[in-house]
Amino acid sequence: MTSEAARHFAAKLQFETDPSDVKAAMDAGERFVLVDSRGVAAWRQGRVAGAVHLPTAEIADRAAELIDPGTPVVVYCWGPGCNGSTRAALAFSLQGYEVREMIGGFEYWAREGYPVVGDAGPVLRPIDELTAPLGGIDCAC
């Protein structure tokens, strides 16, 4: 049973990531493209600073023109109550991309105090103490 559980959790980590790990990877200069798979209204309201906008319905037609097929991709949608990032990850994987899903989505990125921008510029949000330590963003997990 232990090896079955180990395989399960190893597979999850291969295909999922979280806002803290994505931010650390960005800061370390790791090579990947972060994709916001939400619609135009959501994108305009606020998005992860540095993300590329590619709604799920457009991935099959536009991914290759925006993102080199050899580049790893991380996708996000609204949050844990939305499976849009799962659908986006599936769409990218069907196009042959190495893809991971950012669990928690935009909601947890913003709640953890990471950089958010909207059409009007930076969106400043306090860190939510239920999702990240107030003195810093590293949860040490």
Side-chain angles (χ1 to χ4, degrees), residues 53-132:
H53 186 226
L54 185 56
T56 300
E58 299 175 18
I59 291 171
D61 294 331
R62 297 188 53 226
E65 76 185 47
L66 296 175
I67 303 166
D68 181 292
T71 304
V73 172
V74 174
V75 297
Y76 72 87
C77 199
W78 273 111
C82 171
N83 68 1
S85 59
T86 303
R87 284 185 263 120
L90 174 59
F92 271 106
S93 67
L94 290 171
Q95 297 297 313
Y97 286 84
E98 175 187 333
V99 62
R100 294 172 76 189
E101 178 180 18
M102 185 173 80
I103 60 172
F106 177 72
E107 175 188 352
Y108 276 76
W109 178 274
R111 290 177 73 187
E112 291 179 24
Y114 297 125
V116 172
V117 296
D119 279 0
V123 177
L124 302 176
R125 296 184 52 86
I127 295 171
D128 182 337
E129 65 187 37
L130 296 177
T131 65

